[in-house]
Structure formats: C-alpha cells, structure tokens
Amino acid sequence: MTPGRPDALTPDTVTGAQLMCHLLEEQGVRTIFGYPGGAIMPFYHALPEFPELRHILVRHEQAAAHAADGYARATGRAGVCVATSGPGATNLVTGLATAYMDNSPVVAITGQVPRPMMGKDAFQETDIVGVALPITKWATVVEDISDLADVMRKAFVVAQEGRPGPVLVDVPKDVQNQKVAWTPGRPDAQSNVTEQPSVRASERQGVRTAAELIASAERPLILAGHGIILSGAADELMRFAEQTGIPVITTLLGISCFPEGHPLHLGMPGMHGEVHVNRAIQRADLLIAVGMRFDDRVTGNTAGFARHAKIIHIELDATEIGKNIRVDVPIVADARTALTALTALTAPRHCADWRTEIDSMRRPPDESFKGGIAPEVILRAIHDASGGRCNVVADVGQHQMWVAKHFPYRRLNTHFSSGGLGSMGFAVPAAIGVHVARPDEPVWAISGDGGFQMNMQEIATMVQERLPIKLAIFNNGYLGMVRQWQQFFHGRRYSATPIWSPDYVKLAEAYGIAGYRVEKAGQIGAAVDAALAYDGPALVEFVIEQEANVYPMIPPGATLSEIIESEPAPEPAPA
Amino acid sequence: MTTTHVLTVVLDDRLLTLNAAVGLLRRRNIPVRSVTLGPHVTEGRSRLSAMIETDPAAAKRVALLFEKLIGVEEARVMPAGQAVLRELALVHLRPPPDGYAELLDVLNLYHATVVEEGNDGLVVEISGPDTFVLSCLRAIERFGIHDVTRSGPVAVERAEQVSPTPSSEVPVR
C-alpha cells in the first residue's frame, strides 16, 4: 500500500518517520543500508526530505546488515541498516549475529505492522524483537511516538559504548505515522561514549601484579585481539611491546592491529595458526592477553592450552574473564588504558633468548602450491598493486585463513573478517560498508566460490551506487574448508562439497563490470593491476588447485600441540 | 564445584526485559531449578529470584551477564546458604468429612492457615523453606489434594548474623 502524504505540518510537528530521519542526522549518520517494504514505507516516504542521508539499496537485507557491520568496523561508529517487517527483518538476522559475535556497533531499524495488528499474525508480521534478543546487545520495540527519540538515541549509545555490538529498534508503522512536536538540536542525551581515563582503582593491584610477572617471565607472549582495534590501542600496544621486547601474536580479529613484518610480530594462533606461534604458546611461561576472548579456535582443547603459562587477561567485559580459560591476573579495563598503565610500570627488556628460541621453531613456507596459483602470490599481488593501501575483506573458509596468514598487513584496521560467527557471504556486502567508510582507498572483497555465490547479487548494488569495489574469487570448485575436513576426518567422503559456478567473467559482463579469469600463475599480476585500474567494480576469478589445503591445522578438539603439518593418511569415516 | 546458588535480579517490569532475562538463563546451559518473579518495592520494577546449579565462578559470571542486559538494574548471586528462601503454596483440599479434625491438627503443626472454606473443600496457605512446604504437602496428601499452586522460592540475602550460626529455617510467625 502507499501511504498518503502526511498532512501539512506546523514547523515543529513531524511524523515519527521524519523524526527517525532527524535522529539519524543528529547521530551523525550519513549513509544507511536498506531495503524498503510495507511496514517501513512511512520512513522511506520521509527519506527524500533528508538529502544528507545517503541510502544504499542492497539486493537482500542480509547484505544491508553486513554492509552496516563493515562500515562500523572501518569507522568505529555505528553502521545503520533498515528493513521492513517480517522477511525483511528476518533477513537481517545473520548480519546481526555476525556483528554481535565480533562486537561491531550496528543499529538495525525495522518496520513493524501497526500496533493494532500486532499479535494477530498479520501479513509480514514477525516478532523480530524476540528473534533478535539473543543476537543483539539490545532489541526493543517503540511502543509510542513519545518514546521514539529516547529509544533511537539510546540505541546508538548502547551499540557504541563499552564492548560494542548491534541493537535492533522495531518501529510499528502507525508509530512512524504518528505526529509529534520536535525541536531540532543536539540534546543532552547525546552519545556518551567516553574513554575510560585511567584504570579503575579495583584493577590497579592487577596491573601491579601483571608488571611483576612481566619483569620475571622468561618466555612471555602478547596475545592481541580485536579489543586493540576497538579501543584504539595500537600505539599503546606498540609501545608496550617494544619496551618489553615481548613477541606479539594477533588473533584473527586482531590482525592489522600490529604491523606484519615487525620484528616482534609472530602471526596468528590457533586452529590454522603458524606452527611456531602455537609452539610458542605451549612453551610460554606468561601470556598477556589483551582484548581477546580465548575463542575455541584460538585455544584448541583448553585442558592442554599453555599449561606452563600464567595468564594475564586484560578485557573490558568482566564476563569474559575465566569464561574459557583459567586466568591468573584479571584486569577489567579498556585495552588502551590498561596498556598505558602497564607500560608505565615495566622496565625495558629484550627477551632475546626467547625470541631466538621462537625463531628456531619457524617452518619454511607452505609449498602445497608450488608452481600453481598460490594464494600468497595472489595476495602479494593485491598488496603490491595498491602499494599496500588497500583494505581486505575476507569471506569464510580456506581463503579466509590464507588472507589472514599471507597478506602483509602494515596499516591499522585494514583486515575485515567474520571471526566469531564465520558467516559465509560476508565479504561482498561488508566490502560495500568498508568502501563507503573509506571511499578513497581500494577495497578488495576476497571470497571462495561458495561464499561468493551466497551474496553475489550485491554486484548490482555496487553498480547502481557506483562503488568501485574489487572482487576476488578463489575458485576451487569445492566448499574447500568443509572438503578439507572431509579429507582429513571423514575418509575423503566429499559429501555435498563439490560446487558448480557460473562463468564469472560472463557474470561480470552481465552486470556491466570488468571481469577477468586467472588460470596461470603468470596472469595474476596483470589481472590484479587491470582490476584495480578499472574505473568501477571489477571481478577477478582465480582458478586455484581443487584440493589445496590450509596447513598447519589443529584438529577440532585437539590441543595446540597436535599439529597437522601435511596431508594425513586417510582415515575411515566415522560410523 | 557445582552447588546451588541464588540469583536475585532487579529489572524493569516490561515483559521484553523478562524475556531477555529468561533467554540469558536458558542460553548459558546452566541447570535452573526455579525462576520466580514478583513486583519490586520500586514501582515499575520487578524482582526475579532464580535457583541455579553451578560453580561459584560461573555463578558470578551469570550475575555479570545479567548486569549487561538493558533493563536490569542490579543482579546479585550468592550461595543458597547465604540467602533466606521462602516459598508459598496454596492448596485446595477436599478432605473426607471424618478427616477434617485431623487435617486441622496437621495444618496447625505446619503453621498453615485456612484462607477459604467452601462447599467443595478448603484452601490452605503454607509458607516456609521449600523443604518445609514439601514436607507439609506430603503430610496432607492423604486428605485429598484437589489442586496446588507453588510460588517457587523467593530469596533475599541474609541479614548480618549476630552469631556465626545461621538462623533456624523454621518459619517465624
């Protein structure tokens, strides 16, 4: 249905929909990612009156949520997505869950059926607030126009303060049409996101104890996570590491918080972490974990994780302390303030013997791609083509691990990945958000052939909105990571993992973008250069070895000491 | 070591907040023996009491998780021994005419009160620690219970003890 235009309004009277737009502007929002529909039509009716609000029409609401997430990760400010009730709202769910697991501040606004119809299984009615409760920091419905401003403002505060995360605000259609007095201006209830000035008194003893442990440790390690990026603590981490000489391990979401190639940088830990990184963890006598949560993909079997190490855990969210791993010294604090305080209490040292020992554990690079189209060569080419200025958005699977391990990240917060939820289909739409946040920098979305086909419809969004995003597809004809597990742990029974792809060059042509296929190693550089130089979105398909594997690998449920470094002998499939 | 802990939460009285609170309990995979909700002394707020079976560290983490919920004002957790727990049961009895006098004697023993009498029986109120209420229910079972509603335990932290021995669990009238 088409709503009638609102009645002629007095200057200080607006509709709920207009108020929503005013409030978005008030919060500094410039871009929203969305898709219209019946219950959100009043909002879309008002939107053209607010030309400062750029709306990016996605092709599926999941992409709106991922794009808002990508924008939030790149800027540190809330990304906004909008959808209608029912299927529009439920399509946001994967994106919200992704943002929730990775602590990305997203504000989702959904239309809802009019209040008199709620609870009557009306057309396109879904209890999206009930659906969203466990995957958001806060989900709420606006029950009356008088609550709308407070709820919207609070949504931005909740999404961005402390440990960030998504918030969902459900606005019934009749509330969007209600009228209310409105005085523009920045109210007192503005976002009160403030930096914690110093470590709280209750945590100071922890900082002192941590400093003593750091002074006496022989084999210390820093485990740096997403919290470094979220709290803006990269400089503090660098100062702390360089002062103490302690090697730095970066978790999947911590990647790019500390420059690759720095003498103290070791790499990624865990299931697909480098051998020397996992061995170092198992040898360490002290772990200083900062802004990370000991995910099971990092720890493996916790019973055998870092048995010789005392653990200092610096974490903003007290509920993470001791959740997965015993902690000897908890410090509940923002990473930046805690590292500043810790650096002030630690004397310079070098850890030279320990670093030499770790270096001796290093393995030569993976040779499984010798002579073929090696991921590291592709990633090096992507890096070099932009002089290292590009942003890399990974999808989920084998290529995600190659992107994590082989791209030389030297610039802060330039690696984006769905870590906690592991959402295939993330890269292409999230890259839209990253590009909107950083329009002057190249953005590459790197996907497998599986994940790319989950959200490849968003090429149309890029074309319509003139977003010159570069798309790389690592095509091996399989759902590669699942196939690898089947090879290693299920007797090579490749059940439902072979996957057909369309002709991606023709697909590119159909969308009117540039498309290239790379089948030989010698073509990599030219294709990457051409895609980057093309004035618009461009796609490069890399036809890689079909049964390439990600090494090393810790089998699920095993400890970090049980490393698979090459193809294991086939095992019979489990009964 | 897993023991019984009492969680008390002050939250706003919106069903949505209650929904989020119950969802949080469900999702953390911790055995929950009971959940009780009632009005808080402050208007617009409710008080939730839950009995959970877990170790002290996980119990503390549950309370911290509750405090992260929007709409929760305060969450506290304590070992069951540090809380005063009381339960209310309303019992509709249909005793045989010749058992009436004996029933009243038993009810008297348990400080139970007859709150209503009608043609088809009587309604009795029992309150006390949950074990006490259960004991009373067992004692009056033979008189013909038609229906029972139990409130589940409500909890409040013990007052500071004058002596180190906790007060008797027998209800005081």
Side-chain angles (χ1 to χ4, degrees):
Chain A
M1 66 178 275
T2 305
R5 283 193 69 82
D7 298 336
L9 302 172
T10 56
D12 57 350
T13 303
V14 296
T15 64
Q18 289 169 319
L19 180 54
M20 289 158 77
C21 295
H22 278 300
L23 290 162
L24 289 172
E25 283 194 339
E26 177 192 286
Q27 294 295 327
V29 175
R30 291 289 170 269
T31 306
I32 57 180
F33 307 92
Y35 205 104
I40 194 73
M41 284 184 77
F43 173 81
Y44 276 90
H45 183 81
L47 197 55
E49 299 162 24
F50 297 82
E52 295 295 308
L53 289 174
R54 179 187 186 187
H55 181 267
I56 291 187
L57 176 69
V58 293
R59 295 301 184 272
H60 187 290
E61 290 87 348
Q62 182 190 349
H66 284 321
D69 181 358
Y71 177 89
R73 292 181 200 227
T75 60
R77 298 194 307 273
V80 178
C81 55
V82 178
T84 190
S85 64
T90 55
N91 279 347
L92 294 175
V93 166
T94 302
L96 292 178
T98 305
Y100 186 66
M101 290 291 271
D102 288 351
N103 301 116
S104 183
V106 168
V107 173
I109 297 168
T110 48
Q112 183 54 276
V113 300
R115 287 170 298 174
M117 296 171 77
M118 285 173 71
K120 295 180 179 172
D121 301 324
F123 176 66
Q124 293 194 330
E125 182 187 5
T126 295
D127 173 20
I128 192 60
V129 170
V131 172
L133 275 176
I135 52 164
T136 52
K137 277 183 84 177
W138 186 41
T140 193
V141 59
V142 180
E143 288 166 1
D144 189 80
I145 187 76
S146 58
D147 300 329
L148 181 60
D150 286 348
V151 169
M152 290 274 290
R153 287 171 181 149
K154 186 172 169 180
F156 280 84
V157 173
V158 171
Q160 295 173 119
E161 78 175 353
R163 191 176 173 185
V167 168
L168 182 134
V169 179
D170 199 28
V171 190
K173 187 172 184 176
D174 59 323
V175 173
Q176 296 172 49
N177 283 326
Q178 276 185 299
K179 289 165 193 167
V180 68
W182 163 251
T183 309
R186 299 183 76 81
D188 296 338
Q190 267 298 297
S191 166
N192 60 358
V193 181
T194 51
E195 196 174 307
Q196 195 182 323
S198 61
V199 174
R200 281 201 304 264
S202 60
E203 307 303 315
R204 285 184 197 141
Q205 182 54 47
V207 174
R208 284 192 289 272
T209 308
E212 287 163 16
L213 286 176
I214 289 164
S216 61
E218 291 178 4
R219 297 184 302 281
L221 291 172
I222 297 167
L223 285 171
H226 196 196
I228 299 290
I229 293 169
L230 292 173
S231 69
D235 290 344
E236 286 73 12
L237 174 66
M238 178 65 79
R239 271 196 284 280
F240 174 67
E242 290 190 333
Q243 175 163 310
T244 56
I246 302 176
V248 178
I249 291 168
T250 42
T251 67
L252 179 64
L253 290 190
I255 286 172
S256 78
C257 81
F258 195 87
E260 309 264 335
H262 188 284
L264 289 173
H265 187 254
L266 290 190
M268 186 175 76
M271 181 172 270
H272 290 293
E274 301 303 336
V275 171
H276 66 279
V277 177
N278 286 333
R279 295 232 161 112
I281 289 173
Q282 298 301 72
R283 277 277 296 150
D285 64 356
L286 180 66
L287 296 184
I288 306 151
V290 193
M292 56 84 72
R293 59 185 176 87
F294 292 104
D295 181 272
D296 54 88
R297 288 297 195 260
V298 167
T299 63
N301 184 343
T302 51
F305 177 77
R307 278 197 202 154
H308 310 296
K310 287 202 177 300
I311 298 180
I312 299 165
H313 194 181
I314 298 169
E315 167 59 51
L316 184 60
D317 182 350
T319 65
E320 288 296 342
I321 305 280
K323 186 179 80 177
N324 296 335
I325 286 284
R326 52 154 185 97
V327 171
D328 299 283
V329 184
I331 301 173
V332 179
D334 168 74
R336 191 166 155 187
T337 50
L339 284 171
T340 304
L342 206 48
T343 307
L345 290 182
T346 47
R349 54 176 300 190
H350 296 292
C351 300
D353 292 347
W354 170 226
R355 283 158 58 189
T356 305
E357 183 184 340
I358 295 172
D359 282 342
S360 74
M361 300 175 195
R362 285 182 191 269
R363 289 284 190 277
D366 170 11
E367 294 189 353
S368 58
F369 287 89
K370 215 169 184 177
I373 300 180
E376 52 264 50
V377 178
I378 300 169
L379 294 165
R380 171 64 68 177
I382 288 174
H383 174 271
D384 292 350
S386 63
R389 279 186 67 251
C390 70
N391 300 276
V392 177
V393 188
D395 211 78
V396 170
Q398 288 181 310
H399 72 280
Q400 179 187 28
M401 294 297 107
W402 291 320
V403 165
K405 286 149 63 86
H406 298 307
F407 192 90
Y409 299 94
R410 301 220 165 82
R411 292 169 62 239
L412 177 63
N413 195 20
T414 49
H415 167 259
F416 304 89
S417 200
S418 168
L421 199 69
S423 313
M424 285 175 68
F426 171 80
V428 172
I432 292 176
V434 173
H435 179 80
V436 168
R438 298 177 182 170
D440 299 326
E441 297 177 11
V443 177
W444 281 87
I446 301 180
S447 310
D449 41 335
F452 185 77
Q453 291 187 72
M454 281 194 179
N455 270 323
M456 64 183 181
Q457 78 283 348
E458 297 308 320
I459 296 173
T461 306
M462 296 172 190
V463 173
Q464 182 168 345
E465 296 291 333
R466 300 177 187 278
L467 306 170
I469 292 160
K470 311 304 171 186
L471 306 163
I473 306 165
F474 285 25
N475 185 357
N476 57 7
Y478 279 107
L479 301 173
M481 188 60 93
V482 183
R483 186 209 54 73
Q484 178 173 338
W485 282 47
Q486 289 172 333
Q487 179 188 347
F488 286 11
F489 313 120
H490 293 265
R492 286 183 181 265
R493 185 177 290 184
Y494 292 166
S495 169
T497 43
I499 182 168
W500 176 89
S501 278
D503 180 328
Y504 289 116
V505 174
K506 283 188 178 161
L507 183 80
E509 192 185 326
Y511 278 110
I513 70 171
Y516 310 89
R517 179 178 296 115
V518 172
E519 291 170 307
K520 293 182 183 137
Q523 301 168 326
I524 294 173
V528 168
D529 287 345
L532 191 64
Y534 182 75
D535 183 19
L539 175 158
V540 188
E541 174 194 9
F542 298 95
V543 182
I544 64 166
E545 188 182 316
Q546 285 210 303
E547 295 191 56
N549 289 323
V550 182
Y551 295 110
M553 179 178 189
I554 310 288
T559 71
L560 294 194
S561 301
E562 300 164 68
I563 303 172
I564 299 174
E565 293 187 61
S566 61
E567 190 171 322
E571 283 178 17
Chain B
M1 196 182 71
T2 297
T3 51
T4 305
H5 287 78
V6 174
L7 174 75
T8 65
V9 183
V10 179
L11 64 170
D12 70 43
D13 62 1
R14 297 178 70 197
L15 279 175
L16 186 56
T17 309
L18 177 64
N19 190 350
V22 172
L24 192 157
L25 272 180
R26 175 187 58 77
R27 194 170 102 68
R28 291 292 156 177
N29 200 23
I30 290 173
V32 177
R33 268 176 49 186
S34 67
V35 178
T36 307
L37 186 81
H40 187 252
V41 284
T42 311
E43 197 180 327
R45 301 213 175 103
S46 299
R47 184 164 178 133
L48 178 148
S49 303
M51 308 269 281
I52 58 176
E53 305 287 339
T54 188
D55 62 86
K60 186 180 165 197
R61 209 158 39 247
V62 169
L64 289 168
L65 284 165
F66 267 95
E67 292 206 323
K68 282 169 66 176
L69 279 185
I70 305 295
V72 166
E73 185 176 303
E74 180 192 69
R76 305 186 67 182
V77 72
M78 63 205 89
Q82 282 180 22
V84 177
L85 291 156
R86 290 294 180 270
E87 179 170 356
L88 170 73
L90 291 173
V91 191
H92 187 166
L93 287 147
R94 285 179 178 163
D98 60 350
Y100 222 91
E102 192 188 349
L103 170 64
L104 291 178
D105 285 346
V106 175
L107 292 176
N108 195 34
L109 198 64
Y110 283 92
H111 310 284
T113 315
V114 176
V115 291
E116 194 173 89
E117 283 191 80
N119 291 335
D120 69 339
L122 66 165
V123 175
V124 169
E125 173 190 331
I126 313 160
S127 68
D130 56 351
T131 48
F132 178 87
V133 171
L134 277 173
S135 169
C136 180
L137 288 172
R138 275 198 296 274
I140 61 177
E141 209 170 18
R142 62 198 162 93
F143 297 102
I145 292 177
H146 174 62
D147 197 7
V148 182
T149 296
R150 296 174 59 188
S151 67
V154 295
V156 73
E157 191 170 9
R158 279 191 186 286
E160 202 170 316
Q161 297 300 301
V162 178
S163 74
T165 321
S167 64
S168 159
E169 282 290 298
V170 175
V172 178
R173 291 278 157 174

